[in-house]
Structures are given as C-alpha cells and as structure tokens.
Amino acid sequence: MASIQKRPNGKFRARYRDRDGREHSRHFIRKLDAQRWLDEVTTDLLTGRYVDPRHARTQLKEFAESWRADKLHSRGTEESFESVLRLHIYPTLGDVPLDQIRTSDIKRLVKAWDRIAAASTVNHRYTVLATVLRAAVRDRKLAESPCDDIRSKDLPRLRAAELLVPIDTHTVSEIRNAMADQYKALVTVGAGTGMRRGELLGLTWDRVDFTGRTILVDRQIDRRATADEPRWAQTKTEASERVIPVADGVLETITAHVEDHGVHKTGLIFTTTIGSALRPGTLHRAWSIAVGEVGKDVTPHDLRHYFASEHLRAGTSIKALQKYLGHKSATETLDTYGHLMGDESDHARHVIQTALFPDPADSLRTEPSPETRFRRSEG
C-alpha cells in the first residue's frame, strides 16, 4: 500500500510497504516528486528490481568481504581479489555506501590507476571492482551497477610495449643448459606443453600417457603444499582440465629425467636435489640463477608463451590452441596472442586470386572451369 500525505510543514510524505511489510517513507517539497518516487518504487516491486534502501546503504567493503567469504574461488583468484580490493579499491571506495558509488567515481579511479600502472593491471583492477558490483546487483543490494555505463573506450588499451614478446628456441635452450641438472627437463616440458607452473609442479607419472602420447592436466600443486607433504588443488578453471598432445622428444625427455632422478613417492616427476616435492620458491631460486647466467629477463611463464607462439607460427588454429592452453574461450587466446599471428594480407590476396583468377598454366587445358569462364565473362 502506498500513500501521499501533506504534513503541517507543507511537505509531502510518501509512504509504502515492501514485500516484507516494512514501511518506508520520504519527504518531498512537491507532491509531483513524491508521486514519481512512489511510481518508481511500485514498478521495481512489480518487476523484481526492488532494493531495500537499508541494503543499498551497505558500504562497499562490508559487502565485498561478505561476498568473498561465500564465493568459491581458486586459491590464486582469491588471493588476487583480496589484494586488489585491499590495496587499490578499499582506500578510495571501501567506506562508500553501494548506492552512493557513481559511474564518475569509477572513471576517476580508473584514470588515477592509469597514471601509475600498466594497462593490463588497470583492467584487472577494474574487473575485480565490476565483479563485486555485479554481485551486489544479483544480491539485491543495488538496482543496477554503476559499471553498466562504462565502455571499453573508458578503459586503457594495451600499448604496443605491453604486448608480450615470446622468447625464441635459442633462449629456451640457453636457459635449459644453465639450469641445474635436476631441473633441466622442467624447462623442456614447460616449453613443449604450455603447462602453467602449478600444473608442471603437480605433474605425476600417471598423468603421462606414453602410448597415446598425451599428458592429462586435471590438477595442479596446491600453494599451501610443503616439500614434505605435497597436496593437489583444482586447476585454475574448469577449462584448464585438458589433454595435451605431446611431442615424442618431450616424452623422451621425461623418461630420461625419471631414469636419472626417479620420482617422488607420490608420483611427482619434478623433485628437488634431495628428492622432496619441488616448491615454487625452490624453482624460483634455480630459475633466477639460470636466467642471470644467460642475461635474460625471463620468467617460467614465458615457456607457456613460447609454446603458444610456436603453434601459431606453424599454423595451429586459435580454437585448437585454446584447448591446448586451457583457456576459457578462444577470445582469451586471441586477445593474448593475436598480435603474433602477423599480417595475413598477402595470404588473403592469394586466396581470392587463386579462386577467381586461376593461372591457366596450372590447368590441364581441357574444358574451361567455371572460374575461368567467370574471368572471361568479366573481360
């Protein structure tokens, strides 16, 4: 039930009851404004867009922390969201009620980030904020997200300097040769399969199919694991679970590595020099020494980029590469590696030239083909 009543002070009091029977009211100078407000509330109640004003006054930080506590994320994603919120979003918007966050506030924050951070970093921070605000809409804490009016043009684009430049085969060989013997094979397997670091560290002997020449990726090493007690976690995303076709040389490298160094009691292929499970910190130290010797600013993740770049150079389709890398979509693969595909203008010209204007020397000089008749009719 809704009503408008004129008060002794001349203002108009508009009232309504929500679906739970709670009464809400506001005062207006003009009766017309009071009626408009009631009409909007009534429409929201009927369409299911209604948001309790008390919920909308929830501060961003309070809602985000509650949402994080209930949301099931991989450990890596959880740590990333927590860090971005705590360091880059809460200091500015953490104490602001959800319904007081404006599109202009977000644009100013993005602009401030853009002055001091890379475009990819800015886009990631914005994605975290937009994800939280969309969740607030789904939980009926907000009628609509202030991010709805933000377009791609409002976000920084990747600059040419930020587009990844993959390492070459020579660099892969240099790093492998500079690594301690215990870790040489990891370089080859990383470059030859495109597996993520956690997937490599969690690779066990039973996941390698030497007959089918594939590796099954269905888990990764847990960041909370220790060298003495390795444990596994789910892959980064559902799409990360995959079967990778593996070259014979990579399989031979794995076999030779196991013959020389054995496997962990859990089946882990990559271990330390004392036979314990290989942890990220140990790999990082060994890697830093090796890249320091070769004088290259390279990370283990560059092995994954190498794998992708070599496939694109050889003509592997984006869709197939998406599957091998375990990306959620071909769009993600294209956005990351599309610039490596090169200029295909000459190829495009050749396709049409061959189809519509074939070289007579290539024919058997028999009955003209439909394409040839087409060309002559155009003459």
Side-chain angles (χ1 to χ4, degrees):
M1 177 182 292
S3 64
I4 299 177
Q5 182 182 19
K6 189 171 184 178
R7 309 295 291 166
N9 61 5
K11 290 187 177 181
F12 293 90
R13 182 188 185 191
R15 299 185 299 175
Y16 72 92
R17 290 186 182 277
D18 61 26
R19 291 177 175 175
D20 296 326
R22 288 188 292 266
E23 183 178 279
H24 304 271
S25 65
R26 281 183 61 180
H27 292 80
F28 298 87
I29 296 177
R30 299 191 308 167
K31 184 177 181 179
L32 176 63
D33 294 331
Q35 187 60 58
R36 285 176 176 169
W37 180 69
L38 283 179
D39 290 343
E40 291 176 358
V41 170
T42 300
T43 300
D44 288 343
L45 282 168
L46 291 173
T47 60
R49 288 172 49 86
Y50 175 75
V51 173
D52 189 321
R54 296 175 303 169
H55 295 165
R57 289 192 289 272
T58 302
Q59 293 180 336
L60 174 67
K61 181 177 180 179
E62 179 184 348
F63 171 76
E65 289 303 296
S66 174
W67 172 78
R68 279 203 317 114
D70 295 336
K71 188 68 175 177
L72 182 61
H73 280 142
S74 69
R75 186 169 180 83
T77 300
E78 180 182 339
E79 292 176 351
S80 175
F81 269 55
E82 188 279 331
S83 176
V84 170
L85 288 167
R86 174 171 49 85
L87 298 176
H88 306 290
I89 296 176
Y90 289 163
T92 303
L93 298 176
D95 297 332
V96 180
L98 291 170
D99 64 348
Q100 296 300 310
I101 300 176
R102 302 287 180 260
T103 300
S104 57
D105 297 329
I106 297 175
K107 287 183 177 180
R108 280 194 295 271
L109 186 56
V110 168
K111 189 173 182 179
W113 290 336
D114 191 35
R115 295 192 188 102
I116 58 176
S120 56
T121 300
V122 174
N123 277 270
H124 175 59
R125 293 176 186 174
Y126 169 77
T127 297
V128 172
L129 177 57
T131 299
V132 171
L133 291 174
R134 282 197 299 269
V137 173
R138 288 194 299 270
D139 287 359
R140 308 313 307 153
K141 300 294 191 297
L142 274 177
E144 58 185 11
S145 169
C147 292
D148 288 348
D149 291 329
I150 293 182
R151 302 290 179 261
S152 57
K153 64 182 180 60
D154 299 315
L155 302 173
R157 298 182 61 183
L158 285 173
R159 302 175 180 87
E162 293 179 78
L163 297 175
L164 68 89
V165 179
I167 57 178
D168 55 21
T169 302
H170 178 68
T171 301
V172 173
S173 297
E174 281 187 311
I175 295 173
R176 175 188 163 87
N177 293 336
M179 289 285 275
D181 287 343
Q182 190 81 16
Y183 311 124
K184 290 182 185 295
L186 186 142
V187 177
T188 300
V189 178
T193 65
M195 294 169 66
R196 298 179 177 91
R197 184 187 66 177
E199 297 167 350
L200 284 168
L201 296 181
L203 179 61
T204 51
W205 181 256
D206 61 341
R207 263 50 178 185
V208 183
D209 181 355
F210 289 91
T211 302
R213 299 189 298 171
T214 61
I215 287 179
L216 169 64
V217 179
D218 62 346
R219 60 184 181 176
Q220 61 181 336
I221 203 71
D222 194 311
R223 295 190 181 192
R224 293 167 292 185
T226 65
D228 295 328
E229 296 184 12
R231 53 196 294 189
W232 285 265
Q234 294 179 325
T235 53
K236 182 179 180 181
T237 66
E238 185 176 342
S240 298
E241 294 189 12
R242 61 200 189 276
V243 175
I244 306 173
V246 184
D248 291 340
V250 174
L251 294 173
E252 291 166 3
T253 297
I254 294 175
T255 300
H257 171 80
V258 171
E259 288 176 351
D260 291 340
H261 304 287
V263 297
H264 190 264
K265 60 184 179 181
T266 60
L268 285 170
I269 291 175
F270 300 114
T271 59
T272 66
T273 53
I274 60 174
S276 59
L278 181 59
R279 301 293 300 125
T282 305
L283 174 61
H284 176 73
R285 287 190 292 274
W287 183 274
S288 297
I289 293 172
V291 296
E293 289 184 11
V294 301
K296 299 290 177 65
D297 182 16
V298 179
T299 72
H301 200 70
D302 283 302
L303 299 176
R304 180 170 166 85
H305 296 325
Y306 168 82
F307 172 84
S309 67
E310 288 302 307
H311 267 284
L312 288 175
R313 183 175 291 111
T316 301
S317 71
I318 286 291
K319 192 63 179 177
L321 185 57
Q322 171 210 341
K323 180 180 178 181
Y324 302 155
L325 292 172
H327 282 164
K328 290 182 180 180
S329 68
T331 300
E332 179 183 356
T333 310
L334 189 60
D335 287 346
T336 306
Y337 300 108
H339 66 288
L340 301 178
M341 297 178 69
D343 184 2
E344 298 193 357
S345 300
D346 286 340
H347 175 68
R349 296 184 186 100
H350 175 72
V351 168
I352 300 303
Q353 179 68 28
T354 302
L356 291 181
F357 308 100
D359 187 343
D362 294 335
S363 70
L364 297 177
R365 301 188 183 279
T366 56
E367 180 66 20
S369 66
E371 292 85 355
T372 305
R373 288 197 296 270
F374 172 83
R375 184 183 62 178
R376 290 173 177 174
S377 65
E378 293 292 312

